[in-house]
Amino acid sequence: MEHRSNIKKPIITVSFILAGILASLLIFAAVFVDKCCRTLICEAGDTPDFSHITENGFVSSLCKIKTDIKSFPTDHVGTKKAELCFFGFYKKEIKITVSDTKAPVLSLSDLWITNGCPLSPEDFVKELSDSTAVVLSFEEGAPVSNKSGSFSVLICATDEGGNTTTEKCTLTVSENRSTAPFESGTDEDIIKHHLDFLSPEALNYDLEGIPNVGKAYIKAKKDNTAYIFEIEFIDTVPPRGKAVSLDIPLGTVIEGKDLVPIIDDSTNVSIDIVSPPDCKKAGEYNTEVILTDEGKNQSKYFSTVYVHDINTDVTVEAKSNNDILASLIFGEGGEREGLRIMHENATDDMVIGENTLSLWGSYSKLPVTVNVIDTVAPVFYSKTVHVPEGSIPPAIDLVSSYYDSSSVAFSFKGDIPKGAVGSCTVTLVATDTSGNSSSKNAQIVFVADREKPYLEGVRDITVNLGEEPDYFDGIQGFDTVKGPLKVNCDDSQVDVSTPGTYKILYSVDDGNGNITSEHAYVTVLAYKKVCLDVENIMQFPLLPCGCEAVSLAIVLKYEGLDIEPEALYTDYMPKGDYVNGNPWKEYIGDPFTEGMGCYAPCLCETGNSYLENIGSKKKVYDISGLDIQECKRYIDRKIPVIIWGTMWMLDDDSLCWTNVVDGETVVWHSVSHCLVLIGYTDTGYIFCDPMRGIVEYTQEETERAFEINFRQACIVE
């Protein structure tokens, strides 16, 4: 017994300790929650301050603000509530007292009014702002507005917090009252002209939103003064309209605007039918319509309504005649007094589906919905056709004639045997757009095919050493029966690693035993040849001295730009004369007759002026000074190069013209010439030469001519 007593004592002690810890935690939690939920005071228009929670890391980890504080309403005074969440599960509300301690901001304008115009405090306000609702009032009562003169006015602005702002301004009451009322719809210029007589000075009047009938208050502002003019609009002119008589089907609902569709009045007009027709009973009715405007002015109009007992939604077979259509619309007898179908064979112009048909009535057109259907299969006649063996003709080729109310498609029923020479019976099927179909047998006679196919585009090919030819470029095989055919090429004898000429054989087989063959030759050059696909332009006869503009046009067209050489010279190239000119900056002379020319900087300026004018991102670059061998790298990049050499690449550096410009001597050689480098070989250079066409010059003569003209070159990129 003594041993058990010793065990109980520690257990009791631990229990007391745990209970104490739990009690401490509960007390802490209660104090923590109470401290976080203390009532907050917030100024109207401000965001509530929760910094006692958000700025303490420990507190913000245990307490979360559930309410969206940024959108919390503080535009009215009073006590509001927000929600907090403690320890992730315990929710509690916090009170927020919204107070308003700031007076409204009030700014007034002086006011000028016509004698007798009613007033309110708002008429004087130029600017008003506050965080809560504001009530405006006159401090000493509303001023008298029917006594002319100038008066001091005190305006009070009081917000929800009881804060008041009082401002002073001046009221001026004119001696003039508004003149006689204006007729509704009076032109604005006339109204403004009238207001100019009442106004103390020239103003811009706001005439937006003036009423049709009744008093209107026209406002204006100038400097720090607001103006109010009281005028009145009346309506003494009865409305005018245009009445129409109608033909309608039984059961139609008639409104006043149907009988008087056109109304002219400056105010809103109501339409009343005094003696409405009985639209549920066929017959002719005389009706009276009264128009009443906002000024209570009235006018009367009369019209006739003819009510017809007809079917306004009918279904008819396509291509039916008018007698059938009339019997469906009008019933037995197929006619009605005062109604008729407008066009003969009306269904001829209708499509399958819903159509609208107009009937002529005694007074108006009357629409009828006609649903056109097609339930009749096509009628057609077949014929025998002869075709080459192995071919299948289109089904329509076996039809001699057909008839249907809609378009018809023809097809074969089942498979058509191929290849057998002789007669074959096939079944044709005709199907119209409504799905109706009919069938009929026809004969196809297959005739033995003895016509050989065609080969087109076979030509000799030249390639550089080691370059694999494109044997099928531009080669086509065709048969009149089977159409395009596959072309075969026997190139087994060609060795592109060895210079020489080799024979190749093209063949095409139509499958019916007809074969066409044609040979050609492949020449493998012993040297390398690189040439761009650039189209040459000749300078003769239009520009005999304009090789620079022509060369630039050649390159621009290669870049996909459509510009003529003469336009480059006329519209974009700088121009000079023989006396003061400088070919480095301008063209000397006249390219159409006896001109001299220009150098690379001038041509670059010409090209860039054109490119900038059309909005192109490309530019002309001056690459002068490099060795002619270096131009090859531009050709390898597929960029043609404009260079300055000599005519026929002559080794002639004699001068034909000199000039002194800004203290420097400028020269022009006798046979200077501009052309476009488009390719090269192992032994020479290939050019688009505006004088000769596409030609090749040797390396030696090209390099010497290039040196004579100062190694000038330019590119477009």
Side-chain angles (χ1 to χ4, degrees), residues 292-369:
T292 306
D293 61 19
E294 292 184 17
K296 306 303 180 183
N297 307 293
Q298 292 186 335
S299 55
K300 294 181 180 181
Y301 291 91
F302 298 91
S303 64
T304 301
V305 177
Y306 201 144
V307 182
H308 299 275
D309 184 6
I310 61 171
N311 296 317
T312 57
D313 193 336
V314 298
T315 300
V316 64
E317 183 71 28
K319 303 299 182 182
S320 296
N321 58 39
N322 278 9
D323 291 339
I324 296 175
L325 189 58
S327 66
L328 294 171
I329 297 173
F330 304 133
E332 187 177 353
E335 60 182 26
R336 278 287 187 275
E337 182 181 352
L339 284 178
R340 62 184 176 87
I341 298 175
M342 293 178 62
H343 304 292
E344 293 185 8
N345 301 322
T347 58
D348 286 348
D349 299 326
M350 295 183 183
V351 297
I352 304 297
E354 186 175 295
N355 300 266
T356 299
L357 173 68
S358 293
L359 305 178
W360 282 114
S362 299
Y363 306 107
S364 65
K365 297 179 188 177
L366 195 154
V368 173
T369 299

Side-chain angles (χ1 to χ4, degrees), residues 646-698:
T646 61
M647 290 183 286
W648 298 280
M649 293 300 175
L650 296 174
D651 185 7
D652 183 354
D653 59 0
S654 61
L655 302 180
C656 71
W657 179 88
T658 61
N659 196 15
V660 177
V661 181
D662 297 330
E664 294 186 10
T665 300
V666 179
V667 301
W668 186 267
H669 293 96
S670 300
V671 289
S672 290
H673 185 45
C674 184
L675 61 170
V676 182
L677 176 65
I678 64 170
Y680 60 89
T681 66
D682 288 341
T683 59
Y685 296 93
I686 304 171
F687 291 89
C688 279
D689 188 336
M691 294 185 66
R692 300 180 62 193
I694 296 179
V695 295
E696 181 176 347
Y697 295 110
T698 67

Side-chain angles (χ1 to χ4, degrees), residues 16 41 196 245 336 400 516 532 552 591 608 618 649 665 675:
F16 274 114
I41 298 177
D196 286 340
S245 294
R336 278 287 187 275
S400 60
T516 298
L532 304 180
L552 179 58
N608 287 324
K618 295 181 182 294
M649 293 300 175
T665 300
L675 61 170

Side-chain angles (χ1 to χ4, degrees), residues 185-352:
T186 299
D187 188 89
E188 288 188 359
D189 290 338
I190 297 176
I191 297 174
K192 291 178 181 179
H193 182 69
H194 164 72
L195 294 176
D196 286 340
F197 284 103
L198 302 177
S199 174
E201 55 185 317
L203 299 172
N204 291 322
Y205 310 103
D206 181 8
L207 299 182
E208 291 291 329
I210 58 176
N212 293 324
V213 176
K215 291 186 177 181
Y217 299 96
I218 310 301
K219 296 184 178 182
K221 285 186 178 181
K222 188 172 184 180
D223 299 330
N224 195 45
T225 302
Y227 298 82
I228 301 178
F229 302 83
E230 181 186 54
I231 60 176
E232 185 177 3
F233 292 94
I234 61 174
D235 184 7
T236 63
V237 179
R240 292 176 296 175
K242 181 178 181 180
V244 297
S245 294
L246 299 175
D247 288 90
I248 63 172
L250 206 65
T252 303
V253 177
I254 289 292
E255 297 180 356
K257 62 182 179 181
D258 298 321
L259 300 176
V260 188
I262 300 176
I263 298 175
D264 180 19
D265 196 79
S266 59
T267 66
N268 296 321
V269 176
S270 61
I271 310 172
D272 298 305
I273 303 176
V274 177
S275 53
D278 185 356
C279 296
K280 296 181 180 180
K281 183 179 179 181
E284 193 169 13
Y285 300 89
N286 294 320
T287 62
E288 180 182 345
V289 181
I290 295 179
L291 307 182
T292 306
D293 61 19
E294 292 184 17
K296 306 303 180 183
N297 307 293
Q298 292 186 335
S299 55
K300 294 181 180 181
Y301 291 91
F302 298 91
S303 64
T304 301
V305 177
Y306 201 144
V307 182
H308 299 275
D309 184 6
I310 61 171
N311 296 317
T312 57
D313 193 336
V314 298
T315 300
V316 64
E317 183 71 28
K319 303 299 182 182
S320 296
N321 58 39
N322 278 9
D323 291 339
I324 296 175
L325 189 58
S327 66
L328 294 171
I329 297 173
F330 304 133
E332 187 177 353
E335 60 182 26
R336 278 287 187 275
E337 182 181 352
L339 284 178
R340 62 184 176 87
I341 298 175
M342 293 178 62
H343 304 292
E344 293 185 8
N345 301 322
T347 58
D348 286 348
D349 299 326
M350 295 183 183
V351 297
I352 304 297

Side-chain angles (χ1 to χ4, degrees), residues 49-63:
D49 183 9
F50 279 86
S51 59
H52 66 293
I53 295 176
T54 57
E55 294 182 0
N56 187 308
F58 174 72
V59 175
S60 61
S61 66
L62 298 178
C63 176

Side-chain angles (χ1 to χ4, degrees), residues 113-117 145-148 173-177 230:
I113 63 172
T114 52
N115 197 296
C117 185
S145 63
N146 57 2
K147 182 179 179 181
S148 61
V173 181
S174 170
E175 294 181 357
N176 297 322
R177 300 182 67 87
E230 181 186 54

